[in-house]
């Protein structure tokens, strides 16, 4: 049965499904051969392409006002606009194309906005305060998750009474299935804002908490993952060691002391997670890729997959026997979550894009982003634009750039075509404003032609020496498709994003625009969206 929409109420302009299904006919993922290069020399090629794009844009006037049965949020941690562009080029070059003409999966989304990322106390934000914004709908202080700006970082006694809930909680309260998939620890900044309320993002387990915070009654984030929302349907990522008692041997890295359990309270949170699940439900804890790919999603009600003691490995370093890829985790998550007739909310984080940039390892960061784009494509093939709102965005940017007048098709990890006119040395197209790549040899900038700048772990040169490269403060892109995606447009505060997702799905506190189904025969379609004109803007957002 089609999803409910404003068109169901007899309003003009919404009778047919909007053309977000469509793409301009010139859009093809094909090799850029010599014939293609010749086409680009003909002005007609560019004019025809532009006219096709114009037709597509005009079709977007038929807005998709369906109710979003499902909401999927992809969060590229640290995926600023320069990272998106470089990822696009890399994706194309991995397919033996020049790269610049390639389209990422997110590039195909019909609506794009910009998000202002600052924290309430920080011009250049961190991933915790931003996660609180795009998941809980309120801006917060740097370093805090799931709490308002009244909570000060590391001060436990400022937490109580200042907790804020997330769209994951709103979806669960509405009867939807919910899931979290990340390449970081499942108790890292981004995922933790979905379920935890913590004055410090670094309180992964009680081992990382100061005695004062423990004595004041604050709980670590891993503890909150298991206890706060006990029926999260799917949880996948890293972070095994924070779930087990101090010094408990890891199931995979038996002789690695750093992989051992960290908990001082002696709790086995995995066993506690299992104990909270109803006996008649099928609950599975897994720790490797083989177990994941042999699951029968039809016989899984709850899934906890912890594939590494800490963060998961970079995609380029991944052991494809023990560790699943992000796209593999996303496929299984959707297979499990979509069984719920009321729909689902899924948070997917490409979390190690950020880590690659912090380490100055652009190649690692960009391959992480390519993998996230692959996961976006997989999710798109498993869902429908009729009833699934998909949002792709970043929490913040990085001081990552590429330039140097490189020619078309230049390797994204390659050299600029000229020497510096100051120190007469070559330089790579990719550079960082600051970070660990700052190197001086013999009192001068390192000559990059003397090192392997195409190595997976090459640290691109930076202008200022820092052990860890920093975030950037510019706006980030928000790509959206599906029901009500057009509400993500223009330049917005970052905390606007979950309000749109909740509005589209008829969940959360703002339900004035939703009406219950009027007949038993239409219950499966969920609530109806009432005409916006019936409600003053003051109560909509």
């Amino acid at each position: 049965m089609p999803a409910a929409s404003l068109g169901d109420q007899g309003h003009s302009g919404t009778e047919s499904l909007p053309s977000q299904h469509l793409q301009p006919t010139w859009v093809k993922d094909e090799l850029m051969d010599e014939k293609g290069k010749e086409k680009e020399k003909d002005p007609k090629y560019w004019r025809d392409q532009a006219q096709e794009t114009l037709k597509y844009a005009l079709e977007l006037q038929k807005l998709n006002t369906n109710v979003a049965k499902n909401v999927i949020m992809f969060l590229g941690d640290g995926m600023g606009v320069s990272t998106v562009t470089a990822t696009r080029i890399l994706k194309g070059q991995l397919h033996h194309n020049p790269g610049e003409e390639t389209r990422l999966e997110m590039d195909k989304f019909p609506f794009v906005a910009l998000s202002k990322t600052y924290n309430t106390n920080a011009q250049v934000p961190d991933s915790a305060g931003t996660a609180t914004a795009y998941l809980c709908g309120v801006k917060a202080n740097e370093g805090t998750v799931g709490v308002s700006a009244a909570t000060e970082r590391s001060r436990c006694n400022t937490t109580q009474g200042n907790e804020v809930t997330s769209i994951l909680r709103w979806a669960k309260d509405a009867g939807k299935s919910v899931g979290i998939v990340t390449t970081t620890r499942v108790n890292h900044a981004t995922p933790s804002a979905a379920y935890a309320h913590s004055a410090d993002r670094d309180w992964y387990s009680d081992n990382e908490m100061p005695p004062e915070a423990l004595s004041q009654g604050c709980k670590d984030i891993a503890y909150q993952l298991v206890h706060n929302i006990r029926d999260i349907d799917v949880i996948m990522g890293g972070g095994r060691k924070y779930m087990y008692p101090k010094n408990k041997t890891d199931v995979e890295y038996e002789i690695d002391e750093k992989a051992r359990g960290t908990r001082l309270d002696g709790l086995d949170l995995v066993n506690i997670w299992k104990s909270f699940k109803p006996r008649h439900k099928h609950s599975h804890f897994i720790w490797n890729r083989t177990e994941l790919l042999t699951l029968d999603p039809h016989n899984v009600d709850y899934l906890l997959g912890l594939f590494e003691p800490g963060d998961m490995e970079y995609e380029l370093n991944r052991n494809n026997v023990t560790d699943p890829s992000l796209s593999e985790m996303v496929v299984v998550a959707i297979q499990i979550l979509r069984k719920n007739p009321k729909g689902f909310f899924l948070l997917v984080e490409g979390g190690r894009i950020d880590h690659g940039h912090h380490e100055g390892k652009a190649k690692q960061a960009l391959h992480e982003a390519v993998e996230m784009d692959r996961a976006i494509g997989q999710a798109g093939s498993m869902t429908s634009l009729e009833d699934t709102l998909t949002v792709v965005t970043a929490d913040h940017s990085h001081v990552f750039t590429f330039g140097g007048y490189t020619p078309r098709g230049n390797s994204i990890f390659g050299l600029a075509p000229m020497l510096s006119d100051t120190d007469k040395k070559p330089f790579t197209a990719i550079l960082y404003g600051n970070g660990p790549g700052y190197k001086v040899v013999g009192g001068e900038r390192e000559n990059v032609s003397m090192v392997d700048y195409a190595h997976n772990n090459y640290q691109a040169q930076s202008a200022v020496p820092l052990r860890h490269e920093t975030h950037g403060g510019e706006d980030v892109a928000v790509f959206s498709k599906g029901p009500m995606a057009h509400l993500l447009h223009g330049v917005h505060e970052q905390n606007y994003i979950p309000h749109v997702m909740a509005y589209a799905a008829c969940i959360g506190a703002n339900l004035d625009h939703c009406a219950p189904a009027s007949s038993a025969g239409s219950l499966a379609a969920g609530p109806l969206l009432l005409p916006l004109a019936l409600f003053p803007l003051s109560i909509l957002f």
Side-chain angles (χ1 to χ4, degrees):
M1 181 175 291
S5 75
L6 286 173
D8 296 324
Q9 308 259 335
H11 292 264
S12 61
T14 58
E15 289 81 0
S16 60
L17 187 69
S19 302
Q20 294 180 43
H21 289 289
L22 305 177
Q23 293 294 332
T25 56
W26 58 267
V27 174
K28 295 179 181 178
D29 293 321
E30 58 184 17
L31 290 174
M32 175 63 76
D33 54 15
E34 290 303 318
K35 185 176 180 181
K37 292 177 182 177
E38 285 300 312
K39 283 183 179 178
E40 291 190 352
K41 296 178 182 179
D42 185 350
K44 186 177 185 298
Y45 168 80
W46 298 106
R47 291 168 182 153
D48 289 349
Q49 184 192 94
Q51 288 299 316
E52 286 291 333
T53 306
L54 178 60
K55 289 179 183 177
Y56 170 61
L58 290 169
E59 284 294 314
L60 292 178
Q61 302 308 306
K62 300 174 184 176
L63 299 177
N64 183 341
T65 57
N66 292 347
V67 173
K69 174 182 174 182
N70 311 311
V71 178
I72 305 176
M73 184 177 199
F74 283 91
L75 192 288
D77 199 312
M79 192 181 68
V81 172
S82 57
T83 297
V84 172
T85 307
T87 300
R88 179 186 305 132
I89 294 172
L90 173 59
K91 178 183 177 180
Q93 293 181 349
L94 290 172
H95 289 88
H96 311 290
N97 288 321
E100 299 83 0
E101 72 296 327
T102 300
R103 303 182 87 228
L104 295 169
E105 292 298 328
M106 64 188 93
D107 290 339
K108 301 171 186 176
F109 285 26
F111 299 101
V112 183
L114 289 176
S115 169
K116 298 161 67 175
T117 64
Y118 67 91
N119 297 146
T120 49
N121 65 342
Q123 185 178 76
V124 178
D126 89 313
S127 296
T130 52
T132 304
Y134 62 72
L135 289 174
C136 303
V138 300
K139 290 225 171 192
N141 289 328
E142 174 269 339
T144 65
V145 292
V147 288
S148 72
T151 296
E152 300 174 32
R153 184 169 188 175
S154 301
R155 291 189 60 191
C156 168
N157 61 2
T158 64
T159 305
Q160 189 171 0
N162 295 319
E163 299 90 345
V164 291
T165 57
S166 76
I167 187 170
L168 182 140
R169 165 76 80 170
W170 310 338
K172 175 54 71 173
D173 288 347
K176 295 182 182 294
S177 293
V178 297
I180 296 169
V181 174
T182 179
T183 52
T184 66
R185 288 154 276 185
V186 294
N187 50 353
H188 206 256
T190 295
S192 66
Y195 58 81
H197 313 287
S198 179
D200 200 308
R201 58 176 287 179
D202 294 332
W203 292 349
Y204 301 119
S205 73
D206 57 350
N207 183 66
E208 289 76 42
M209 295 178 67
E212 181 184 43
L214 291 171
S215 67
Q216 291 173 348
C218 281
K219 298 296 184 181
D220 63 88
I221 297 171
Y223 181 95
Q224 293 188 56
L225 170 62
V226 173
H227 290 82
N228 283 8
I229 307 176
R230 298 185 180 187
D231 52 355
I232 297 176
D233 303 85
V234 174
I235 304 167
M236 283 191 276
R240 273 197 307 262
K241 65 182 180 180
Y242 304 108
M243 310 292 281
Y244 292 111
K246 186 81 170 177
N247 293 324
K248 180 179 172 63
T249 301
D250 184 70
V251 65
E252 183 177 3
Y253 305 101
E254 296 181 358
I255 62 173
D256 185 355
E257 293 186 4
K258 293 182 178 179
R260 293 178 180 174
T262 65
R263 303 199 62 80
L264 301 177
D265 57 15
L267 294 179
D268 182 328
L269 291 179
V270 172
N271 279 340
I272 293 174
W273 175 85
K274 292 177 181 177
S275 73
F276 286 159
K277 302 301 175 285
R279 290 189 178 182
H280 67 282
K281 296 289 187 179
H282 300 286
S283 304
H284 297 262
F285 168 69
I286 59 174
W287 65 269
N288 63 63
R289 179 175 182 265
T290 301
E291 290 179 323
L292 176 70
L293 298 185
T294 55
L295 284 174
D296 178 359
H298 297 290
N299 293 321
V300 179
D301 296 307
Y302 297 101
L303 175 63
L304 175 61
L306 301 176
F307 303 105
E308 285 291 330
D311 298 318
M312 295 184 69
E313 295 290 336
Y314 285 122
E315 178 64 19
L316 286 176
N317 303 345
R318 181 170 62 87
N319 181 328
N320 60 16
V321 174
T322 57
D323 290 349
S325 67
L326 181 62
S327 54
E328 288 171 338
M329 291 190 289
V330 166
V331 167
V332 174
I334 293 175
Q335 288 174 335
I336 295 170
L337 297 174
R338 69 183 179 186
K339 295 183 297 179
N340 187 338
K342 293 185 177 181
F344 64 83
F345 170 79
L346 174 62
L347 171 65
V348 181
E349 183 197 19
R352 304 219 65 197
I353 301 169
D354 177 72
H355 295 174
H357 281 322
H358 278 308
E359 295 175 3
K361 299 174 181 177
K363 193 165 190 177
Q364 296 284 11
L366 296 185
H367 276 272
E368 292 295 303
V370 168
E371 173 58 23
M372 193 180 89
D373 197 65
R374 186 178 296 115
I376 294 168
Q378 292 276 22
S381 69
M382 298 175 70
T383 56
S384 167
L385 283 168
E386 290 188 53
D387 65 2
T388 303
L389 171 64
T390 305
V391 177
V392 179
T393 189
D395 46 357
H396 54 74
S397 186
H398 275 267
V399 291
F400 162 86
T401 187
F402 69 99
Y405 301 113
T406 47
R408 177 79 179 272
N410 197 75
S411 168
I412 191 63
F413 304 115
L415 296 174
M418 79 283 275
L419 301 179
S420 164
D421 58 6
T422 302
D423 65 11
K424 310 304 179 186
K425 289 185 174 64
F427 59 97
T428 54
I430 287 176
L431 297 167
Y432 286 95
N434 57 50
Y438 180 94
K439 289 182 176 63
V440 175
V441 178
E444 297 182 346
R445 181 173 67 90
E446 182 180 55
N447 188 333
V448 295
S449 64
M450 306 299 290
V451 299
D452 182 7
Y453 52 81
H455 191 276
N456 288 355
N457 291 322
Y458 171 71
Q459 293 176 309
Q461 291 186 336
S462 65
V464 176
L466 286 177
R467 281 180 290 181
H468 300 284
E469 176 264 5
T470 73
H471 296 168
E474 71 271 22
D475 298 349
V476 297
V478 186
F479 306 85
S480 58
K481 67 175 180 178
M484 294 299 190
H486 56 279
L487 296 178
L488 288 164
H489 68 286
V491 181
H492 295 289
E493 295 286 0
Q494 193 169 46
N495 67 291
Y496 171 70
I497 296 171
H499 291 274
V500 170
M501 295 190 292
Y503 183 92
C506 282
I507 61 176
N510 178 12
L511 301 178
D512 294 325
H513 60 294
C514 305
S518 57
S519 66
S522 60
L523 286 175
L528 303 177
L529 291 179
L530 296 177
L532 295 178
L534 295 180
F535 301 97
L537 290 177
S538 61
I539 68 169
L540 291 180
F541 298 104

